[in-house]
Amino acid sequence: MTTNDPGTQGLQFVYATYIKATPEQLWQALTDPSFTERYWGVALRSDWKQGSAITWEVAGVTIADPEQVVLAADEPRRLAFTWHTITPEFGAAVGAPGDEFAAMAAEGRSRVAFEIEPLTDMAKLTVTHSGFEEGSAVLAGVTDGWPGVVASLKTLLETGEPLVFS
């Protein structure tokens, strides 16, 4: 769901689901590069301390930028970080059309937060991706992307195998 929340300074995308896993298992799945690579296709590398850098490895491209940082890390309840830099190498690796890539690269940096709420025999995961202006190409991309990423994460934790998208 896309909403306009003045507290987040712009538009945001919010998605929630329930996963048969402990908060600790969910935290590991969000922060361990071997997990993130399996369900997302992205290896996220960091020590996951507030202020630390995050390196993204996706489609054979490494995206390292000092502005890609952990904003909050309260294991196993909340993780937040700035979104990755949209580089020409990233655009080429994921096959983004030139005009779409240019629009994404021209935008300011957004932020994503994962809230993990323990429940009996499961956890609620809420993903909030925020900091978008009206007409954002990145917002359009994450609106299409997050439901698949979260579904694959849920499936991996519950069955041992991620979803495979063609």
Side-chain angles (χ1 to χ4, degrees), residues 18-21 25 29 35 38-39 150-164:
Y18 297 86
I19 301 173
K20 190 167 180 65
Q25 290 168 322
F35 264 97
R38 286 188 69 201
Y39 68 84
V150 173
S152 188
L153 165 61
K154 175 180 172 61
T155 301
L156 175 59
L157 287 171
E158 293 179 347
T159 69
E161 293 297 324
L163 297 175
V164 178

Side-chain angles (χ1 to χ4, degrees), residues 89-109:
E89 296 81 12
F90 171 78
V94 299
D99 56 340
E100 180 181 313
F101 164 75
M104 287 180 170
E107 292 184 29
R109 192 171 303 275

